[in-house]
Amino acid sequence: MLSYEAALARLIASAGALPAEACATDEAAGRVLAEAVRAQAALPPFDNAAMDGYALRSDGRAIAAGSVWPIAGRVVAADAPPQAPAAAWEIMTGAALPPGADSVVPYERTKRLDAARMRVLEDLAPGRHIRRAGSDLQPGDPIATAGTPVDATLRMLLAAAGIGQVQVKRAPRVAILSTGDELVADADAPLRPGQIRASNGPFLQTALTELGARVLACRTLGDDPAQFAAALAEVAVEADLVLTTGAVSAGVHDFVPAALGKAGAQLLFQGVAIRPGKPLLAARLAQGPLLLGLPGNPVATVLGFRFFAVPLLRHWLGRPPERPLLARLTEPLRGRGALRGFLKARVSHDGDGTLRVRVLAGQESFRIASLLQANAWATLAPDADELAADARVEVYPRDPDGRWRFD
Ligand code: AMP
Ligand code: MG
């Protein structure tokens, strides 16, 4: 059976690229840059005062305690810099430096003598408290590389640099088809004996939205190959990716592999050496989109999404692959035989900052209550020996957006 790494590599190799599109930076939060962004102008745009005080022309000499300076006037932020040459101007933070001024002396280091003069109270080195034009960014300096998500910090830089439009990756378009005769999607509908509430679709829908994908459809279908084939044909027209859940293992209703064959899909792999989620499959549909067939057990769906769909979406968006952290086990851990194990876990840190990982009780694939206690997936290589307490294991954040949420 294919290893996790080989299966993922096969999926990514057949993924192709998403086009870029222009996006107003005002609307770009959550999108991902498709091109590097560079400063077009200097930041700050002009030399200006870093403190409220006086701008002095010291001609590079030390400013002596006791020296008295005549004040030519006052410059505040938004004023055009005065052009008249003068030894000293009263100046406010952010105001443009008058020509020739080479130092700003804060109010605290001065005493105002009258309306037209002030005295410097201490010996001061020249050149202090000035923000030079271009000292933050020079024209042409890189601001962010392709693959950077547009977040609040990047928006601040784009705004400061006056960049009103960026090239971003088109949002991946994803359709979700949940299968199972037993599933009830309507929260208000009472359950008949044998029925359960459908939870995979809501998970996938929310996780996809958090990742910046566009959800084209989220449908709950019966175990009916004809209904499945019709839904597949419909969503395949627009989708980059179709996510199905359920009906990929060995049960009598596990019709998805046969239905894909009938629809002319090309199977990329069926079955991966992972636990949970072993029956997971991937295919390319005749119309072009990729399909991931996630097993229906909720934890297998979550895991398959986290470790196959997320890397695929990151690849499409030009984001680098995730890398795990290493955390020390709080208790010994047995391996998962020939399969790569993914375990619901809780990562925290000690007083000295060492990462610790506790593998949670209740690892079975139907148990979703423990998912909320988890903030991580611990992963164990195939054929791993038993690990002692304190041994280090690889951990990934639980959440598909790849962010760590520690205590
Ligand atoms: P399957 O992969 O179709 O054999 O389903 C495996 C298990 O997951 C069964 O217990 C199903 O009832 C359950 N299951 C399948 N799909 C969902 C879903 N969308 N929401 C919740 N449980 C599901
Ligand atoms: Mg089923």
Side-chain angles (χ1 to χ4, degrees):
M1 192 177 293
L2 219 51
S3 70
Y4 169 64
E5 292 78 5
L8 180 61
R10 205 177 279 186
L11 178 69
I12 301 286
S14 47
L18 282 187
E21 61 189 22
C23 182
T25 50
D26 283 351
E27 276 147 33
R31 308 295 298 275
V32 178
L33 294 181
E35 286 180 355
V37 176
R38 290 179 179 278
Q40 289 154 11
L43 187 70
F46 48 86
D47 292 349
N48 67 92
M51 301 283 284
D52 297 330
Y54 299 94
L56 305 188
R57 200 167 75 195
S58 71
D59 295 321
R61 289 189 295 274
I63 301 161
S67 56
V68 173
W69 298 72
I71 303 159
R74 178 184 287 165
V75 214
V76 302
D79 283 351
Q83 292 308 313
W89 293 87
E90 189 174 5
I91 196 164
M92 302 300 122
T93 303
L97 218 58
D102 54 15
S103 297
V104 170
V105 177
Y107 280 134
E108 305 86 278
R109 311 257 189 274
T110 65
K111 180 170 169 45
R112 188 78 174 223
L113 300 176
D114 53 41
R117 294 174 312 144
M118 65 85 177
R119 178 188 295 137
V120 173
L121 300 177
E122 310 164 23
D123 286 338
L124 297 167
R128 302 281 313 276
H129 306 304
I130 293 176
R131 305 161 172 167
R132 290 288 171 205
S135 58
D136 208 359
L137 287 170
Q138 291 282 346
D141 275 357
I143 292 179
T145 55
T148 306
V150 181
D151 61 8
T153 308
L154 181 52
R155 285 232 34 219
M156 175 179 258
L157 268 98
L158 295 172
I163 296 170
Q165 185 174 293
V166 285
Q167 289 290 314
V168 295
K169 286 287 189 181
R170 164 163 77 55
R173 300 169 182 151
V174 187
I176 303 162
L177 303 177
S178 303
T179 70
D181 283 339
E182 73 280 29
L183 301 178
V184 175
D186 176 1
D188 295 327
L191 292 182
R192 291 200 309 272
Q195 290 186 320
I196 60 165
R197 302 214 178 266
S199 57
N200 289 339
F203 167 80
L204 294 173
Q205 194 169 28
T206 308
L208 284 163
T209 308
E210 284 173 0
L211 285 164
R214 203 176 116 214
V215 178
L216 299 175
C218 182
R219 298 206 201 144
T220 306
L221 310 171
D223 287 315
D224 174 350
Q227 188 196 23
F228 178 79
L232 195 60
E234 211 177 298
V235 297
V237 177
E238 241 201 299
D240 300 304
L241 173 67
V242 179
L243 293 174
T244 69
T245 79
V248 287
S249 41
V252 290
H253 273 164
D254 292 340
F255 61 87
V256 164
L260 290 176
K262 229 170 146 185
Q266 173 208 349
L267 211 57
L268 300 174
F269 56 82
Q270 181 173 8
V272 187
I274 55 173
R275 189 152 101 187
K278 188 164 57 124
L280 189 142
L281 65 79
R284 175 172 289 293
L285 300 178
Q287 299 91 330
L290 289 174
L291 176 141
L292 275 174
L294 307 172
N297 267 313
V299 178
T301 284
V302 169
L303 197 284
F305 182 81
R306 181 68 184 84
F307 290 97
F308 283 92
V310 169
L312 173 64
L313 293 169
R314 287 180 71 106
H315 168 81
W316 269 333
L317 294 170
R319 298 183 62 187
E322 284 182 85
R323 289 191 305 158
L325 294 180
L326 291 173
R328 293 190 182 279
L329 286 168
T330 56
E331 282 160 40
L333 182 63
R334 262 188 304 113
R336 291 306 192 250
L339 305 178
R340 172 170 284 281
F342 290 96
L343 299 144
K344 295 171 230 173
R346 178 125 204 122
V347 168
S348 55
H349 40 74
D350 280 1
D352 67 359
T354 304
L355 290 182
R356 299 267 165 211
V357 55
R358 181 165 57 88
V359 171
L360 300 178
Q363 290 294 331
E364 299 95 321
S365 290
F366 74 92
R367 287 185 190 273
I368 55 175
S370 53
L371 273 177
L372 264 188
Q373 267 87 59
N375 64 354
W377 293 101
T379 182
L380 267 181
D383 300 316
D385 292 333
E386 169 153 348
L387 293 172
D390 238 28
R392 298 199 301 175
V393 294
E394 294 187 346
V395 290
Y396 289 85
R398 178 197 64 183
D399 291 335
D401 65 8
R403 292 210 182 113
W404 278 106
R405 283 161 179 91
F406 292 129
D407 299 328

